[in-house]
Amino acid sequence: MGTQFRLALFVLVIALLGYQLMPHVPDELEEKWKYRAMMAFMNGIGIYGQYMHSSAGGDDPSVRTIEGVKAAFRWTSEDAVMDHLGPGVTRLEGTFNGTKVYIYQPPAMSTEGLVPGFIYFHGGGLALGSAKLYDGMARKISSRLNAVVINVDYDTTPKNKFPGPLNQCYAATKWLLLHARDYGVDFRRVAVGGDSAGGYLSAAVSQLIYDDEMVPNLKLQVLIYPWTQCFDFYFPSYQEYTKTFEIGKGFVCRESMVMYCTLHAWGTARPDLVQMLMENRHIGPSFKKSTLYQETLGHDLLPAAYRVSSSYQGPTPSDQGDEEFWQKIKTIFLDPRFTPHFRHNMTGLPTAYVVTAGFDSLRDEGNIYAQQLKKAGVDVTLVHYEKAWHGSHWSAPYFIFAIGEQIHDDFLEFAKERL
Protein backbone atom coordinates (compact mmCIF):
# COMPACT_ATOMS: atom_id res chain seq x y z
CA MET A 1 0.00 0.00 0.00
CA GLY A 2 1.53 3.32 -1.10
CA THR A 3 2.48 6.02 1.36
CA GLN A 4 0.11 8.56 -0.21
CA PHE A 5 -2.85 6.17 0.11
CA ARG A 6 -1.95 5.26 3.71
CA LEU A 7 -1.72 8.90 4.63
CA ALA A 8 -5.03 9.78 2.96
CA LEU A 9 -6.77 6.89 4.69
CA PHE A 10 -5.23 7.75 8.05
CA VAL A 11 -6.31 11.40 7.82
CA LEU A 12 -9.82 10.42 6.77
CA VAL A 13 -10.28 7.97 9.65
CA ILE A 14 -9.19 10.40 12.35
CA ALA A 15 -10.64 13.61 10.91
CA LEU A 16 -13.96 13.45 12.76
CA LEU A 17 -12.22 12.50 15.99
CA GLY A 18 -9.76 15.34 15.56
CA TYR A 19 -12.49 17.87 14.98
CA GLN A 20 -14.22 16.75 18.15
CA LEU A 21 -11.01 16.98 20.17
CA MET A 22 -9.97 20.31 18.66
CA PRO A 23 -9.98 23.22 21.11
CA HIS A 24 -11.09 26.73 20.29
CA VAL A 25 -9.44 28.11 17.19
CA PRO A 26 -9.14 31.92 17.11
CA ASP A 27 -10.96 33.77 14.34
CA GLU A 28 -7.79 35.63 13.36
CA LEU A 29 -5.98 32.41 12.44
CA GLU A 30 -5.94 31.96 8.67
CA GLU A 31 -7.32 28.84 6.94
CA LYS A 32 -9.00 27.61 10.11
CA TRP A 33 -10.52 24.54 8.46
CA LYS A 34 -7.13 23.39 7.19
CA TYR A 35 -5.56 24.06 10.57
CA ARG A 36 -8.23 21.91 12.21
CA ALA A 37 -7.63 19.15 9.65
CA MET A 38 -3.90 19.23 10.33
CA MET A 39 -4.46 19.14 14.08
CA ALA A 40 -6.77 16.17 13.53
CA PHE A 41 -3.88 14.47 11.78
CA MET A 42 -1.52 15.37 14.63
CA ASN A 43 -4.05 14.15 17.21
CA GLY A 44 -4.20 10.84 15.39
CA ILE A 45 -0.41 10.63 15.34
CA GLY A 46 -0.40 11.29 19.09
CA ILE A 47 -3.04 8.67 19.78
CA TYR A 48 -1.07 6.14 17.76
CA GLY A 49 2.10 7.06 19.63
CA GLN A 50 0.46 6.82 23.03
CA TYR A 51 -1.39 3.54 22.65
CA MET A 52 0.44 1.54 19.98
CA HIS A 53 3.95 1.81 21.43
CA SER A 54 3.27 1.34 25.13
CA SER A 55 6.30 -0.92 25.57
CA ALA A 56 8.87 1.50 24.15
CA GLY A 57 10.79 3.82 26.43
CA GLY A 58 10.61 1.78 29.63
CA ASP A 59 8.82 3.52 32.50
CA ASP A 60 8.85 7.00 30.96
CA PRO A 61 5.42 7.63 29.33
CA SER A 62 6.67 10.71 27.47
CA VAL A 63 9.47 8.70 25.88
CA ARG A 64 7.01 5.95 24.94
CA THR A 65 4.77 8.51 23.26
CA ILE A 66 7.70 10.14 21.44
CA GLU A 67 8.88 6.81 20.06
CA GLY A 68 5.35 5.97 18.97
CA VAL A 69 4.90 9.31 17.23
CA LYS A 70 8.18 8.81 15.38
CA ALA A 71 6.92 5.42 14.18
CA ALA A 72 3.61 6.95 13.06
CA PHE A 73 5.38 9.63 11.02
CA ARG A 74 7.56 6.98 9.39
CA TRP A 75 4.45 5.01 8.47
CA THR A 76 2.37 7.86 7.12
CA SER A 77 4.58 10.66 5.86
CA GLU A 78 8.31 10.13 5.46
CA ASP A 79 8.14 8.70 1.94
CA ALA A 80 5.50 11.09 0.63
CA VAL A 81 6.52 12.42 -2.78
CA MET A 82 6.99 16.20 -2.81
CA ASP A 83 8.75 16.54 -6.18
CA HIS A 84 6.24 19.16 -7.34
CA LEU A 85 7.70 21.69 -4.87
CA GLY A 86 11.05 21.58 -6.67
CA PRO A 87 10.65 20.44 -10.29
CA GLY A 88 13.85 18.96 -11.68
CA VAL A 89 15.67 18.94 -8.33
CA THR A 90 17.74 15.80 -7.78
CA ARG A 91 18.07 14.20 -4.33
CA LEU A 92 21.09 12.16 -3.31
CA GLU A 93 22.04 10.57 0.00
CA GLY A 94 25.34 11.06 1.73
CA THR A 95 27.19 11.20 5.04
CA PHE A 96 28.93 14.31 6.35
CA ASN A 97 31.26 13.62 9.28
CA GLY A 98 29.21 10.57 10.27
CA THR A 99 25.78 12.21 9.99
CA LYS A 100 23.29 11.21 7.31
CA VAL A 101 22.33 14.01 4.93
CA TYR A 102 20.18 14.44 1.84
CA ILE A 103 21.81 16.46 -0.92
CA TYR A 104 19.53 18.39 -3.29
CA GLN A 105 20.94 19.62 -6.59
CA PRO A 106 19.11 22.24 -8.70
CA PRO A 107 18.24 21.53 -12.35
CA ALA A 108 20.79 24.01 -13.73
CA MET A 109 23.62 22.52 -11.67
CA SER A 110 25.47 21.00 -14.63
CA THR A 111 25.41 24.12 -16.79
CA GLU A 112 26.58 26.71 -14.26
CA GLY A 113 29.63 27.32 -12.14
CA LEU A 114 29.63 27.20 -8.36
CA VAL A 115 26.25 27.84 -6.75
CA PRO A 116 25.15 28.85 -3.24
CA GLY A 117 24.76 26.26 -0.48
CA PHE A 118 21.92 26.12 2.03
CA ILE A 119 22.11 23.78 5.03
CA TYR A 120 18.70 23.02 6.54
CA PHE A 121 18.01 21.73 10.07
CA HIS A 122 14.49 20.43 10.57
CA GLY A 123 12.17 21.26 13.46
CA GLY A 124 10.36 18.94 15.85
CA GLY A 125 11.60 19.86 19.32
CA LEU A 126 14.82 17.87 18.72
CA ALA A 127 12.65 14.83 19.52
CA LEU A 128 10.36 14.47 16.50
CA GLY A 129 10.65 14.99 12.79
CA SER A 130 13.29 13.93 10.30
CA ALA A 131 15.01 15.30 7.24
CA LYS A 132 12.65 13.27 5.04
CA LEU A 133 9.65 15.08 6.49
CA TYR A 134 11.20 18.29 5.14
CA ASP A 135 11.83 16.94 1.66
CA GLY A 136 9.38 19.41 0.13
CA MET A 137 10.99 22.36 1.88
CA ALA A 138 14.47 21.32 0.76
CA ARG A 139 13.33 20.89 -2.83
CA LYS A 140 11.70 24.30 -2.82
CA ILE A 141 14.83 26.01 -1.46
CA SER A 142 17.05 24.30 -4.03
CA SER A 143 14.77 25.21 -6.93
CA ARG A 144 14.10 28.81 -5.91
CA LEU A 145 17.67 29.71 -4.96
CA ASN A 146 19.38 27.56 -7.58
CA ALA A 147 21.36 26.20 -4.65
CA VAL A 148 22.67 22.93 -3.34
CA VAL A 149 20.67 22.14 -0.21
CA ILE A 150 22.00 19.88 2.53
CA ASN A 151 19.09 18.51 4.58
CA VAL A 152 20.68 17.20 7.79
CA ASP A 153 19.14 14.08 9.34
CA TYR A 154 20.52 14.51 12.85
CA ASP A 155 19.69 11.97 15.56
CA THR A 156 16.93 13.03 17.94
CA THR A 157 16.27 12.86 21.66
CA PRO A 158 15.89 11.11 24.01
CA LYS A 159 18.71 8.87 22.77
CA ASN A 160 20.71 11.84 21.51
CA LYS A 161 20.51 14.53 24.18
CA PHE A 162 22.49 17.79 24.39
CA PRO A 163 24.93 18.47 22.83
CA GLY A 164 24.45 15.55 20.44
CA PRO A 165 22.16 17.08 17.77
CA LEU A 166 24.12 20.34 17.78
CA ASN A 167 27.45 18.55 17.42
CA GLN A 168 26.14 16.64 14.42
CA CYS A 169 24.80 19.77 12.74
CA TYR A 170 28.02 21.67 13.40
CA ALA A 171 30.12 18.81 12.04
CA ALA A 172 27.96 18.53 8.89
CA THR A 173 28.17 22.29 8.30
CA LYS A 174 31.92 22.27 8.74
CA TRP A 175 32.21 19.38 6.30
CA LEU A 176 30.39 21.28 3.57
CA LEU A 177 32.44 24.42 4.10
CA LEU A 178 35.68 22.44 3.85
CA HIS A 179 34.55 20.40 0.83
CA ALA A 180 32.25 22.92 -0.85
CA ARG A 181 33.82 22.70 -4.31
CA ASP A 182 33.32 18.91 -4.37
CA TYR A 183 29.58 19.59 -4.30
CA GLY A 184 29.63 22.52 -6.71
CA VAL A 185 29.15 25.03 -3.90
CA ASP A 186 30.79 28.43 -3.46
CA PHE A 187 32.05 28.35 0.16
CA ARG A 188 31.61 32.14 0.35
CA ARG A 189 27.83 31.79 -0.24
CA VAL A 190 26.64 29.26 2.33
CA ALA A 191 23.63 29.74 4.61
CA VAL A 192 22.14 27.75 7.45
CA GLY A 193 18.47 27.77 8.33
CA GLY A 194 15.73 25.93 10.11
CA ASP A 195 12.41 26.20 11.90
CA SER A 196 11.71 25.92 15.63
CA ALA A 197 14.35 23.51 16.98
CA GLY A 198 16.05 23.88 13.61
CA GLY A 199 16.15 27.63 14.25
CA TYR A 200 17.95 26.97 17.53
CA LEU A 201 20.43 24.68 15.76
CA SER A 202 21.01 27.32 13.07
CA ALA A 203 21.69 30.03 15.65
CA ALA A 204 24.06 27.84 17.67
CA VAL A 205 25.87 26.49 14.59
CA SER A 206 26.36 30.06 13.34
CA GLN A 207 28.12 30.87 16.60
CA LEU A 208 30.32 27.76 16.50
CA ILE A 209 31.33 28.28 12.88
CA TYR A 210 32.26 31.91 13.58
CA ASP A 211 34.56 30.73 16.38
CA ASP A 212 36.18 28.02 14.24
CA GLU A 213 39.27 29.46 12.54
CA MET A 214 39.53 26.44 10.24
CA VAL A 215 36.47 27.36 8.19
CA PRO A 216 35.07 30.49 6.52
CA ASN A 217 32.17 32.24 8.15
CA LEU A 218 28.63 31.60 7.02
CA LYS A 219 26.91 34.16 4.80
CA LEU A 220 23.41 33.97 6.28
CA GLN A 221 21.35 32.42 9.08
CA VAL A 222 17.60 31.98 8.62
CA LEU A 223 15.79 31.47 11.93
CA ILE A 224 12.12 30.61 11.47
CA TYR A 225 10.21 30.98 14.76
CA PRO A 226 13.32 29.75 16.59
CA TRP A 227 13.31 27.92 19.93
CA THR A 228 16.21 29.53 21.77
CA GLN A 229 15.70 29.11 25.52
CA CYS A 230 14.46 26.80 28.30
CA PHE A 231 14.56 29.39 31.10
CA ASP A 232 11.15 31.02 31.07
CA PHE A 233 7.89 29.30 30.18
CA TYR A 234 5.85 32.34 31.21
CA PHE A 235 6.85 34.87 28.61
CA PRO A 236 3.84 36.91 27.46
CA SER A 237 3.66 34.74 24.34
CA TYR A 238 3.43 31.57 26.45
CA GLN A 239 0.65 33.07 28.54
CA GLU A 240 -1.21 34.28 25.47
CA TYR A 241 -0.86 30.91 23.71
CA THR A 242 -2.27 29.07 26.73
CA LYS A 243 -5.30 31.35 26.82
CA THR A 244 -5.85 31.14 23.07
CA PHE A 245 -5.53 27.40 22.54
CA GLU A 246 -6.38 26.14 26.05
CA ILE A 247 -4.05 24.32 28.45
CA GLY A 248 -2.04 21.54 26.85
CA LYS A 249 -3.31 22.23 23.32
CA GLY A 250 -1.56 23.43 20.18
CA PHE A 251 1.83 22.66 18.65
CA VAL A 252 3.90 24.57 21.18
CA CYS A 253 1.90 24.61 24.39
CA ARG A 254 3.84 24.99 27.63
CA GLU A 255 3.51 21.26 28.37
CA SER A 256 5.07 20.24 25.07
CA MET A 257 7.93 22.73 25.25
CA VAL A 258 8.79 21.67 28.80
CA MET A 259 8.91 18.06 27.65
CA TYR A 260 11.19 18.93 24.73
CA CYS A 261 13.48 20.91 27.05
CA THR A 262 13.84 18.09 29.58
CA LEU A 263 14.51 15.57 26.82
CA HIS A 264 17.07 17.93 25.30
CA ALA A 265 18.89 18.60 28.55
CA TRP A 266 18.68 15.23 30.28
CA GLY A 267 17.30 12.66 27.83
CA THR A 268 14.25 12.07 30.01
CA ALA A 269 10.93 13.70 30.82
CA ARG A 270 10.71 12.54 34.43
CA PRO A 271 7.69 14.02 36.24
CA ASP A 272 9.83 15.80 38.83
CA LEU A 273 11.83 17.58 36.12
CA VAL A 274 8.73 18.45 34.14
CA GLN A 275 6.99 19.91 37.20
CA MET A 276 10.05 21.98 38.08
CA LEU A 277 10.15 23.58 34.63
CA MET A 278 6.38 23.94 34.38
CA GLU A 279 6.49 26.24 37.40
CA ASN A 280 9.69 28.09 36.39
CA ARG A 281 11.32 26.80 39.59
CA HIS A 282 14.40 25.38 37.87
CA ILE A 283 16.11 28.79 37.83
CA GLY A 284 17.45 29.94 41.18
CA PRO A 285 16.35 33.29 42.67
CA SER A 286 19.95 34.51 42.71
CA PHE A 287 20.15 34.31 38.94
CA LYS A 288 16.61 35.49 38.25
CA LYS A 289 17.41 38.70 40.11
CA SER A 290 20.77 39.19 38.39
CA THR A 291 21.47 41.95 35.90
CA LEU A 292 22.68 39.35 33.40
CA TYR A 293 19.33 37.57 33.43
CA GLN A 294 17.24 40.73 33.23
CA GLU A 295 19.35 42.12 30.39
CA THR A 296 19.21 38.84 28.49
CA LEU A 297 15.72 37.41 29.00
CA GLY A 298 13.78 40.01 30.98
CA HIS A 299 10.20 40.71 29.90
CA ASP A 300 10.94 44.43 29.72
CA LEU A 301 13.03 43.76 26.62
CA LEU A 302 9.88 42.97 24.67
CA PRO A 303 7.73 45.49 22.80
CA ALA A 304 5.21 47.12 25.11
CA ALA A 305 2.34 45.77 23.01
CA TYR A 306 3.33 42.22 23.98
CA ARG A 307 2.98 43.06 27.68
CA VAL A 308 -0.45 44.69 27.72
CA SER A 309 -2.71 41.88 26.53
CA SER A 310 -5.46 40.63 28.83
CA SER A 311 -3.74 37.24 29.09
CA TYR A 312 -0.47 38.63 30.49
CA GLN A 313 -0.11 38.30 34.26
CA GLY A 314 3.53 39.36 34.50
CA PRO A 315 6.63 37.21 35.04
CA THR A 316 6.82 34.56 37.72
CA PRO A 317 8.17 35.94 41.05
CA SER A 318 11.95 36.32 41.09
CA ASP A 319 12.16 34.68 44.52
CA GLN A 320 10.40 31.56 43.23
CA GLY A 321 12.98 28.92 42.40
CA ASP A 322 15.09 26.04 43.67
CA GLU A 323 18.59 27.41 44.27
CA GLU A 324 20.11 23.99 44.90
CA PHE A 325 18.67 22.58 41.68
CA TRP A 326 19.83 25.64 39.72
CA GLN A 327 23.41 25.16 40.92
CA LYS A 328 23.33 21.63 39.51
CA ILE A 329 21.99 22.58 36.08
CA LYS A 330 23.40 26.06 35.43
CA THR A 331 26.48 24.80 33.57
CA ILE A 332 24.23 23.39 30.85
CA PHE A 333 21.65 26.17 30.78
CA LEU A 334 24.20 29.01 30.62
CA ASP A 335 26.19 27.30 27.86
CA PRO A 336 25.61 29.31 24.63
CA ARG A 337 25.42 26.00 22.78
CA PHE A 338 22.29 25.26 24.83
CA THR A 339 20.99 28.84 25.12
CA PRO A 340 22.35 31.02 22.27
CA HIS A 341 21.20 34.16 24.14
CA PHE A 342 24.13 33.80 26.57
CA ARG A 343 26.93 34.22 24.07
CA HIS A 344 29.17 36.94 25.46
CA ASN A 345 29.77 38.77 22.17
CA MET A 346 27.61 38.35 19.07
CA THR A 347 29.55 40.83 16.96
CA GLY A 348 30.59 39.34 13.63
CA LEU A 349 27.90 36.67 13.40
CA PRO A 350 26.35 36.23 9.94
CA THR A 351 23.43 38.23 8.62
CA ALA A 352 20.22 37.02 10.25
CA TYR A 353 16.69 36.70 8.92
CA VAL A 354 14.38 36.02 11.86
CA VAL A 355 10.71 35.06 11.58
CA THR A 356 8.21 35.24 14.45
CA ALA A 357 4.52 34.30 14.45
CA GLY A 358 1.55 35.76 16.29
CA PHE A 359 0.14 32.41 17.43
CA ASP A 360 3.33 31.02 18.91
CA SER A 361 4.67 30.48 22.43
CA LEU A 362 8.17 31.09 21.01
CA ARG A 363 7.37 34.52 19.61
CA ASP A 364 9.07 36.43 22.42
CA GLU A 365 12.37 34.56 22.56
CA GLY A 366 12.72 34.96 18.80
CA ASN A 367 12.12 38.69 19.15
CA ILE A 368 14.65 39.02 21.96
CA TYR A 369 17.32 37.04 20.11
CA ALA A 370 16.88 39.26 17.03
CA GLN A 371 17.29 42.31 19.28
CA GLN A 372 20.49 40.88 20.78
CA LEU A 373 21.99 40.27 17.36
CA LYS A 374 21.07 43.75 16.17
CA LYS A 375 22.51 45.37 19.30
CA ALA A 376 25.82 43.63 18.55
CA GLY A 377 25.92 45.14 15.07
CA VAL A 378 24.70 42.10 13.16
CA ASP A 379 22.63 42.81 10.04
CA VAL A 380 19.19 41.61 11.18
CA THR A 381 15.84 41.48 9.44
CA LEU A 382 13.00 40.60 11.81
CA VAL A 383 9.70 39.74 10.12
CA HIS A 384 6.60 39.16 12.24
CA TYR A 385 3.51 37.44 10.84
CA GLU A 386 0.67 38.27 13.18
CA LYS A 387 -1.74 35.71 11.68
CA ALA A 388 0.79 32.90 11.35
CA TRP A 389 1.04 30.03 13.82
CA HIS A 390 3.90 27.80 14.88
CA GLY A 391 4.01 25.04 12.29
CA SER A 392 2.56 26.97 9.36
CA HIS A 393 5.97 26.97 7.65
CA TRP A 394 6.15 23.18 7.33
CA SER A 395 5.36 21.92 3.80
CA ALA A 396 3.67 18.71 4.91
CA PRO A 397 1.84 16.34 2.58
CA TYR A 398 -1.71 17.70 2.02
CA PHE A 399 -1.14 20.55 4.49
CA ILE A 400 0.37 23.54 2.70
CA PHE A 401 -0.86 26.86 4.09
CA ALA A 402 -1.09 30.21 2.33
CA ILE A 403 0.61 31.98 5.25
CA GLY A 404 3.36 29.36 5.13
CA GLU A 405 3.82 30.02 1.42
CA GLN A 406 4.14 33.73 2.21
CA ILE A 407 6.83 32.98 4.80
CA HIS A 408 8.67 30.88 2.21
CA ASP A 409 8.40 33.50 -0.52
CA ASP A 410 9.71 36.24 1.75
CA PHE A 411 12.71 34.43 3.21
CA LEU A 412 13.66 32.90 -0.16
CA GLU A 413 13.55 36.31 -1.82
CA PHE A 414 15.77 37.67 0.96
CA ALA A 415 18.18 34.73 0.69
CA LYS A 416 18.35 35.08 -3.10
CA GLU A 417 19.47 38.68 -2.73
CA ARG A 418 22.04 37.91 -0.04
CA LEU A 419 23.53 34.72 -1.48
Side-chain angles (χ1 to χ4, degrees):
M1 187 184 296
T3 297
Q4 296 287 353
F5 178 78
R6 292 201 306 265
L7 178 57
L9 181 62
F10 186 76
V11 171
L12 180 62
V13 169
I14 66 172
L16 290 177
L17 174 63
Y19 264 67
Q20 291 298 317
L21 296 177
M22 190 65 207
H24 168 70
V25 178
D27 292 335
E28 297 82 3
L29 192 143
E30 296 191 347
E31 296 181 285
K32 292 173 62 176
W33 70 268
K34 193 182 292 186
Y35 176 84
R36 290 176 68 93
M38 185 170 189
M39 289 308 296
F41 171 75
M42 297 304 294
N43 281 335
I45 290 283
I47 291 169
Y48 178 93
Q50 186 172 0
Y51 294 108
M52 301 301 291
H53 281 252
S54 58
S55 61
D59 295 329
D60 191 330
S62 296
V63 173
R64 291 199 300 269
T65 299
I66 287 291
E67 294 304 324
V69 169
K70 289 178 183 178
F73 272 125
R74 287 193 296 269
W75 179 69
T76 60
S77 308
E78 279 199 346
D79 294 323
V81 178
M82 303 290 282
D83 293 9
H84 62 286
L85 294 181
V89 171
T90 302
R91 187 181 81 179
L92 306 171
E93 294 187 18
T95 303
F96 284 8
N97 270 337
T99 296
K100 185 176 182 179
V101 300
Y102 294 95
I103 305 163
Y104 297 78
Q105 298 175 330
M109 187 82 188
S110 60
T111 60
E112 298 190 7
L114 298 179
V115 300
F118 198 108
I119 305 170
Y120 197 87
F121 309 127
H122 68 80
L126 300 176
L128 302 174
S130 67
K132 272 192 172 182
L133 287 174
Y134 282 75
D135 178 76
M137 187 73 257
R139 290 180 184 276
K140 180 182 288 189
I141 295 172
S142 180
S143 176
R144 293 278 294 274
L145 298 185
N146 190 39
V148 170
V149 174
I150 308 301
N151 192 5
V152 181
D153 202 21
Y154 60 87
D155 297 322
T156 52
T157 63
K159 295 179 180 178
N160 193 32
K161 65 179 181 178
F162 174 79
L166 175 59
N167 286 345
Q168 287 183 287
C169 292
Y170 168 51
T173 302
K174 186 172 181 177
W175 175 271
L176 180 65
L177 289 170
L178 291 175
H179 302 87
R181 185 172 289 272
D182 296 342
Y183 298 93
V185 171
D186 183 347
F187 70 86
R188 298 165 298 182
R189 302 162 66 198
V190 176
V192 293
D195 60 299
S196 195
Y200 148 69
L201 291 167
S202 299
V205 164
S206 295
Q207 295 184 7
L208 293 173
I209 291 296
Y210 178 79
D211 293 335
D212 191 334
E213 296 180 354
M214 294 181 60
V215 291
N217 199 15
L218 294 162
K219 183 75 171 179
L220 173 67
Q221 53 180 318
V222 177
L223 315 180
I224 299 171
Y225 37 69
W227 168 35
T228 55
Q229 62 89 34
C230 292
F231 278 76
D232 191 349
F233 298 97
Y234 285 83
F235 271 127
S237 53
Y238 267 102
Q239 296 184 41
E240 187 172 336
Y241 195 87
T242 299
K243 182 177 181 179
T244 300
F245 291 99
E246 301 180 1
I247 295 174
K249 304 295 183 181
F251 274 110
V252 284
C253 61
R254 183 179 294 120
E255 290 77 5
S256 291
M257 295 312 303
V258 163
M259 180 186 68
Y260 293 142
C261 281
T262 59
L263 290 172
H264 178 35
W266 301 293
T268 180
R270 288 197 335 252
D272 59 319
L273 296 173
V274 168
Q275 192 61 35
M276 188 79 74
L277 271 66
M278 281 290 294
E279 299 172 359
N280 268 7
R281 291 190 294 109
H282 58 302
I283 309 302
S286 62
F287 188 67
K288 283 185 180 179
K289 297 175 182 178
S290 69
T291 301
L292 175 61
Y293 183 78
Q294 293 303 321
E295 291 182 349
T296 306
L297 292 173
H299 292 200
D300 288 344
L301 298 171
L302 293 165
Y306 289 1
R307 294 179 276 113
V308 296
S309 72
S310 60
S311 60
Y312 182 52
Q313 303 298 314
T316 53
S318 59
D319 58 354
Q320 176 181 305
D322 188 323
E323 192 67 43
E324 183 178 356
F325 184 76
W326 167 243
Q327 294 302 321
K328 293 178 181 178
I329 71 168
K330 68 178 183 180
T331 300
I332 293 177
F333 275 62
L334 291 175
D335 188 332
R337 296 175 303 162
F338 188 86
T339 311
H341 295 272
F342 286 100
R343 179 180 176 84
H344 178 65
N345 185 0
M346 297 188 183
T347 302
L349 293 178
T351 295
Y353 186 90
V354 183
V355 170
T356 59
F359 298 99
D360 187 1
S361 293
L362 310 188
R363 177 197 67 190
D364 294 351
E365 55 205 72
N367 181 285
I368 289 175
Y369 191 68
Q371 289 187 53
Q372 288 180 286
L373 291 170
K374 190 170 185 178
K375 186 176 180 180
V378 176
D379 181 6
V380 177
T381 296
L382 172 62
V383 185
H384 179 68
Y385 298 86
E386 186 60 33
K387 294 185 178 181
W389 44 273
H390 195 100
S392 53
H393 157 79
W394 181 35
S395 294
Y398 302 149
F399 298 113
I400 296 178
F401 293 83
I403 190 66
E405 293 292 281
Q406 185 63 57
I407 293 172
H408 300 166
D409 290 345
D410 292 347
F411 94 74
L412 289 171
E413 186 63 31
F414 183 90
K416 191 172 185 178
E417 294 175 358
R418 299 304 179 100
L419 293 176

